[in-house]
Amino acid sequence: MALSRRTFSALAGSAALGLALGGSGGPGAPAAFAARGVPTGPPPPVPAADGRRHTVAFDHYSLLVDGRRLVLWSGEMHPFRLPSPGLWRDVLQKMRAHGYNAVTARVAWNYHSAAPGTYDFTGVRDLGLFLRTAAETGLYVVLRPGPRIGADVDGGGLPGWLPAAAGASPTADPGYARHAEEWLGRVDAIAARHLYTRGDGTVLLYQVDSGAAADTGGALVSRLLDKVRADGIDVPLFHGDRGGRWMPQSFPRPAGFLSDTGGGHGTGAPRARDAAAVRRAQLTDLAGGIALHNVYPAFGGTSWGWLPGPGMPASYDHGAAIDEGRQVTAEMVPAHQIGHMLRHLPDFAKLERAGGASARGLTTYHLRNPDTGGRVHILRNDSDKDVSSLLPAAGEDLPVTVPARDARLAVTGMRLGLLRVRYSTAHPMLYLSAGPLDIVVFCGRRGDSARLALEAAGEPMVTRLSQQVAYVYERRLVRITVPFGTGLAGARVEAGETVDRPVLMLFADDRTSSRLWPYETPSGSLLVCGPRLLRTAAVQGATLHLTGDTVEATRLEVWPPHGVTAVTWNGRPVRTVRTGSGSLRSVAPLAGVAKVELPVLGGWRARAESPESAPGFDDSAWRTADLASADGGTAGARKQPVLSADAYGFHYGAVWYRGAFTDASGIGSVSLEHGAGPGGLLMAWLDGEPLGTHQVPDPGHEGGADAGHKGGAEAGTAVLAVPPHLRTGGRHVLAVLVRPAARAQDDTAPGTAAGAARGLAAVDFAGGEPRVRWRIQGAGPADPVRGPLNNGGLHGEREGWHLPGFPDGGWDKVSFPRAVRRQGVTWYRTTFKPSVAAGTDASVGLVLDDDPHREWRAQVFLNGWNLGEYVNGAAGRRPLVLPDGILRTRDTNTLALAVLSGADTEAGPGRVRLTLLGSAAGGVPVVPVSSPGR
């Protein structure tokens, strides 16, 4: 759910919690609404679990951390979408390096709770570990534990057992509030140990969102907010209001609010990446006075197992700046430039609207810092063609060009350290002091030019470090023009007040700007240029120790703090020379990544299952389906028993039904009403013979509207003919396999009412009314390591066919491509052993493909972990990511596929192969994720 200005209610203040915000930082802390006279100044230092008390407040312009202004530049990352804790550090380090100062983390209730009163925060669900890692990385945390988180997760993150335990609607039964309070209490017990206010961590903000559209008076969310406060969470709280209905009116509203920008929801396939669109959205938010930004998502990750919401594929990329395979995409460029700008240029933390300064053909915004007089001009092109215009600013008409559907930023009258910039049409990315230098970086698109004027009382000494830099001094202005090409251009300026501290001006095109890495250490700030990523920097004596990633061979250039004369990279000394710009530059390039060779997948073994369809199958241990009514389920039509899978405790994955009856002599067909949801699948057999399959239309899988938000059918009816030779007297068994889709994530959407519960709803027979005795079987107990969302109710899952070490030596040897015409489930297993060199971070994916007209789907298991579903022929399919940690990059892995198919077409797979999604020399140490087998 996107959050607008209206929804950041805690920072806007409320009678229930606005006053409580004054408690941040302990007794005697300043009120949450601080005086509006807080001056423009440097931001707070990089956050850490430093053991010190801190205050968090706000005013009309921004957050105030320990009395310093902070523009929050957060990216959303869901730890549950990366089930390899060792890789959390990798993503968080990439976020910080690219300019984010905070991470927003949602916590999915269903991921941690298999049953009422049961909660697990260990292993891949170790929330405390994630919060510690964020603090060690130097990122604030915005915590969003729901209870309903949305995020295209099954049921919006509510556990499958909740409707049966507390009522179908979040406001229909007080039991919901009790369970929600218990859930938040478990999260709070961990979060309270990581609060920035107490110095124990970096949790800075906390969102409560009941997600209940029916909570029109806000009673439920107020109760939950009170619960969180009572648990000792003393950082500012906020909640989503679904259109402002919960917005308290007792306090004034500040100008800065949390705004979700970026990924967007919706097509069931990853959105095309467009840096221009991201820049346009983010600069527009800045122009609107947004001082608390959340890019959604910054890292997409994988909706593995039974996590994904209706119509959602396993990939949750959504055009994220860091994609599912942990590779940085083109969308990171504007985030990198803007994030570092907001961090290093204090004027941006205190802006208000100013008038004038419009440019023809462009939507223009003009903002001013009331303390410094610095001005920001944001120019947005809403047309499909490039627009060149003149911006009247600083007493001149400045030529500007904005590409189609893009935006750009210019500044006037702004001080960058010792420089007073009369105007700049180039984007100022950062300013810092490194050793004896002040460094300022301007960036822009290749083919554009930087035009700027610096105020100087007398003619300065300007040393051109690049031939493309042109300058002239006239009327106390140094006018500089630099075309943005490839690489880095620079000039050194010494004049007047800067004579004792030269200013190094660097000009970088977009690509080069994303290879510039500022970093703050206790010994001072530094700037690194060249490698693909800078992870950490630390000064010990005269040596600067750097860690990071390279892809191609590249030279390393460093502007270090005072006293540094030597550099190491990933633990190895780097020979350097001192340059005319004051940097240390490597004599030889840093090595790139070695070639990664992936094994060919072969040695497959196969076994057909679905013994449950046979008439003689022993189902005596199955649950008898005989409930007349149940919370979370609906009594079937015409006095049939409740058949909802949830009513019998089966919430995820496939579920089997067996109905025994006598006398089918007059029955011509059977009608199966089911709540399988969009894309859900049903198969039926009578006395072991296939009757057919039925699939609910799924707009999401077809590349249309997101079925989880609009347009997807929740229920369907399969009408299947009974073959004449089965229309006999005596005992018969109707076997039905339902592979349901996820529950709708929004309680305003269809499917949250009990009538659309997953599984069968009613069964009717044309030509007869036999009395059917039903039994039901779904997933077994939750996997103690992999959690409740890993396994379903297939025979092979219950027997451990997906696990490492299962004895499959007696299975049939097969090879791909494969063409089988059979209704039911067929399992395929193989093992493989990659050989990825130590020190190489390789992101590996799995590709399945086949003739798109063949109808089949496969659940993919790697070392027992259910990594997602492949649906053949669906639009926008991407490789399934096999995350390092679950994937053993230098050891043996077990790959298992559970293929569901009907008899109408041949089923594959056609081809199954590994693919390299990206690699780098560097990375982080990754501890293997526990993957128990048989």
Side-chain angles (χ1 to χ4, degrees):
M1 180 188 71
L3 297 175
S4 69
R5 301 191 207 194
R6 295 176 305 205
T7 66
F8 200 70
S9 60
L11 292 191
S14 72
L17 57 106
L19 291 176
L21 291 177
S24 72
F33 273 101
R36 294 173 65 171
V38 176
T40 298
V46 174
D50 55 15
R52 302 173 183 172
R53 285 279 183 173
H54 299 276
T55 60
V56 184
F58 59 94
D59 68 3
H60 182 76
Y61 299 102
S62 71
L63 279 175
L64 298 167
V65 176
D66 296 330
R68 295 190 185 187
R69 295 198 174 278
L70 174 71
V71 179
L72 195 76
W73 187 249
S74 175
E76 193 136 332
M77 174 194 178
H78 305 156
F80 57 83
R81 284 194 160 105
L82 184 55
S84 178
L87 294 180
W88 294 345
R89 188 178 302 273
D90 172 70
V91 174
L92 293 172
Q93 286 182 342
K94 286 172 179 171
M95 289 177 62
R96 187 197 167 187
H98 283 288
Y100 295 99
N101 59 17
V103 58
T104 295
R106 305 196 195 200
V107 189
W109 187 356
N110 58 3
Y111 183 64
H112 293 272
S113 182
T118 300
Y119 298 92
D120 186 355
F121 289 92
T122 64
V124 299
R125 293 169 293 281
D126 192 339
L127 178 61
L129 174 60
F130 179 83
L131 298 179
R132 288 195 299 276
T133 305
E136 292 164 3
T137 307
L139 291 173
Y140 295 108
V141 176
V142 180
L143 198 61
R144 299 173 74 169
R148 185 191 296 271
I149 63 167
D152 295 319
V153 172
D154 178 282
L158 301 181
W161 54 259
L162 185 62
S169 169
T171 55
D173 192 308
Y176 173 83
R178 292 193 298 271
H179 285 292
E181 287 179 319
E182 182 178 62
W183 159 245
L184 292 180
R186 298 300 183 102
V187 174
D188 294 345
I190 298 170
R193 300 194 295 270
H194 299 273
L195 298 176
Y196 189 60
T197 47
R198 301 180 185 179
D200 297 327
T202 55
V203 174
L204 187 75
L205 302 172
Y206 183 115
Q207 178 184 2
V208 173
D209 191 355
S210 72
D215 190 24
T216 53
L220 176 58
V221 77
S222 294
R223 175 175 172 175
L224 297 180
L225 288 167
D226 289 343
K227 163 64 178 174
V228 172
R229 275 285 179 250
D231 287 341
I233 306 301
D234 62 0
V235 299
L237 309 179
F238 65 102
H239 66 85
D241 70 349
R242 295 180 183 269
R245 290 190 296 271
W246 296 341
M247 174 59 65
Q249 302 299 321
S250 56
F251 283 81
R253 301 184 179 193
F257 296 84
L258 194 67
S259 174
D260 282 348
T261 60
H265 297 280
T267 63
R271 180 172 60 81
R273 300 185 184 93
D274 186 343
V278 172
R279 179 166 37 244
R280 190 163 165 260
Q282 292 174 350
L283 288 180
T284 299
D285 275 350
L286 185 65
I290 305 298
L292 292 94
H293 304 257
N294 182 46
V295 178
Y296 179 83
F299 167 70
T302 301
S303 296
W304 59 279
W306 304 111
L307 268 172
M312 289 290 106
S315 171
Y316 200 63
D317 197 339
H318 284 311
I322 305 173
D323 69 18
E324 185 187 7
R326 299 179 292 109
Q327 305 302 299
V328 174
T329 71
E331 286 200 354
M332 185 61 87
V333 171
H336 182 92
Q337 295 170 347
I338 297 171
H340 284 302
M341 176 187 74
L342 297 177
R343 168 68 188 170
H344 291 93
L345 305 183
D347 278 32
F348 285 88
K350 192 175 183 180
L351 293 175
E352 56 189 30
R353 285 289 183 92
S358 62
R360 185 177 180 180
L362 299 170
T363 300
T364 59
Y365 303 89
H366 184 196
L367 304 113
R368 176 181 177 272
N369 185 296
D371 295 338
T372 67
R375 294 173 183 263
V376 177
H377 307 266
I378 293 172
L379 313 173
R380 195 181 74 209
N381 183 356
D382 297 327
S383 74
D384 294 324
K385 296 182 179 179
D386 295 358
V387 172
S388 295
S389 187
L390 296 174
L391 173 68
E396 302 189 30
D397 288 334
L398 306 178
V400 291
T401 298
V402 183
R405 298 288 173 183
D406 205 338
R408 69 182 300 166
L409 179 146
V411 297
T412 58
M414 184 173 289
R415 182 172 287 278
L416 301 178
L418 298 176
L419 292 181
R420 180 77 176 183
V421 179
R422 175 71 62 86
Y423 66 78
S424 171
T425 62
H427 183 125
M429 181 174 128
L430 62 85
Y431 165 85
L432 57 82
S433 295
L437 293 171
D438 286 352
I439 303 175
V440 59
V441 175
F442 295 91
C443 56
R445 264 77 78 203
R446 183 179 180 183
D448 200 356
S449 292
R451 292 180 175 86
L452 63 152
L454 309 178
E455 297 179 357
E459 184 170 1
M461 179 185 297
V462 179
T463 304
R464 295 190 310 158
L465 303 175
S466 308
Q467 290 185 348
Q468 57 265 50
V469 177
Y471 76 96
V472 63
Y473 175 74
E474 58 182 18
R475 290 178 293 181
R476 296 188 175 185
L477 290 178
V478 182
R479 298 181 186 271
I480 300 176
T481 303
V482 184
F484 288 111
T486 57
L488 201 62
R492 181 185 175 107
V493 179
E494 300 172 82
E497 58 184 322
T498 75
V499 70
D500 294 327
R501 190 165 184 82
V503 178
L504 176 64
M505 303 182 67
L506 298 176
F507 301 88
D509 62 274
D510 281 350
R511 181 182 180 279
T512 304
S513 72
S514 63
R515 300 292 184 270
L516 288 172
W517 311 105
Y519 203 95
E520 296 166 74
T521 76
S523 301
S525 297
L526 58 96
L527 181 66
V528 172
C529 179
R532 187 64 64 96
L533 179 70
L534 176 68
R535 294 185 180 274
T536 64
V539 177
Q540 295 179 347
T543 302
L544 174 62
H545 299 278
L546 304 175
T547 68
D549 296 357
T550 58
V551 176
E552 64 284 337
T554 184
R555 290 193 183 272
L556 174 70
E557 190 164 10
V558 184
W559 289 269
H562 279 291
V564 170
T565 58
V567 177
T568 69
W569 178 257
N570 289 340
R572 296 183 178 181
V574 178
R575 288 184 58 208
T576 62
V577 295
R578 183 72 68 172
T579 72
S581 71
S583 67
L584 294 174
R585 194 164 191 258
S586 63
V587 173
L590 301 178
V593 64
K595 186 176 182 180
V596 176
E597 297 283 357
L598 297 176
V600 175
L601 297 179
W604 290 95
R605 291 184 177 271
R607 183 174 178 180
E609 60 136 275
S610 312
E612 300 90 340
S613 64
F617 179 82
D618 181 6
D619 58 18
S620 60
W622 287 19
R623 181 83 181 269
T624 301
D626 57 0
L627 295 175
S629 63
D631 290 333
T634 300
R638 292 161 295 282
K639 297 183 180 180
Q640 295 186 12
V642 171
L643 295 177
S644 160
D646 288 306
Y648 298 95
F650 304 119
H651 309 300
Y652 305 108
V655 60
W656 275 95
Y657 296 85
R658 283 174 56 86
F661 63 96
T662 57
D663 193 4
S665 57
I667 296 175
S669 65
V670 58
S671 177
L672 303 164
E673 298 178 30
H674 59 90
L681 181 70
L682 176 146
M683 301 178 180
W685 294 259
L686 183 60
D687 299 338
E689 294 196 21
L691 297 183
T693 64
H694 180 266
Q695 180 171 321
V696 181
D698 180 2
H701 276 152
E702 294 303 320
D706 171 10
H709 294 273
K710 51 187 175 181
E714 286 291 327
T717 301
V719 179
L720 306 175
V722 174
H725 68 276
L726 296 179
R727 302 172 188 173
T728 63
R731 183 179 183 273
H732 297 271
V733 176
L734 176 64
V736 182
L737 173 63
V738 180
R739 181 352 196 136
R743 300 159 185 80
Q745 66 166 338
D746 189 330
D747 70 352
T748 64
T752 53
R758 293 300 183 243
L760 285 178
V763 180
D764 291 309
F765 298 87
E769 295 185 8
R771 180 180 178 184
V772 183
R773 297 177 299 280
W774 288 102
R775 290 185 179 270
I776 183 173
Q777 175 66 58
D783 188 304
V785 172
R786 301 173 180 93
L789 301 177
N790 196 75
N791 297 352
L794 295 179
H795 176 80
E797 291 176 290
R798 298 197 304 274
E799 294 296 316
W801 294 5
H802 60 302
L803 297 175
F806 181 84
D808 58 13
W811 290 21
D812 296 335
K813 294 181 179 180
V814 298
S815 61
F816 298 138
R818 183 94 165 138
V820 178
R821 189 183 294 270
R822 175 181 179 272
Q823 177 177 301
V825 183
T826 304
W827 283 77
Y828 301 93
R829 285 173 53 95
T830 191
T831 59
F832 65 94
K833 184 177 182 180
S835 183
V836 178
T840 296
D841 179 9
S843 180
V844 179
L846 181 73
V847 176
L848 295 89
D849 54 43
D850 202 354
D851 182 335
H853 296 98
R854 296 182 178 183
E855 296 181 1
W856 58 275
R857 61 180 66 190
Q859 211 65 36
V860 179
F861 296 88
L862 177 68
N863 296 326
W865 291 85
N866 181 348
L867 293 185
E869 182 185 52
Y870 169 85
V871 179
N872 191 53
R877 295 296 94 182
R878 291 168 61 89
L880 286 170
V881 174
L882 310 179
D884 192 0
I886 290 179
L887 175 70
R888 310 299 197 243
T889 56
R890 289 179 291 279
D891 205 346
T892 301
N893 298 269
T894 298
L895 179 64
L897 312 176
V899 175
L900 285 74
S901 62
D904 293 336
T905 66
E906 291 181 335
R911 187 183 181 199
V912 183
R913 59 183 173 86
L914 300 175
T915 187
L916 186 65
L917 303 175
S919 61
V924 297
V926 179
V927 176
V929 177
S930 178
S931 301
R934 292 285 288 181

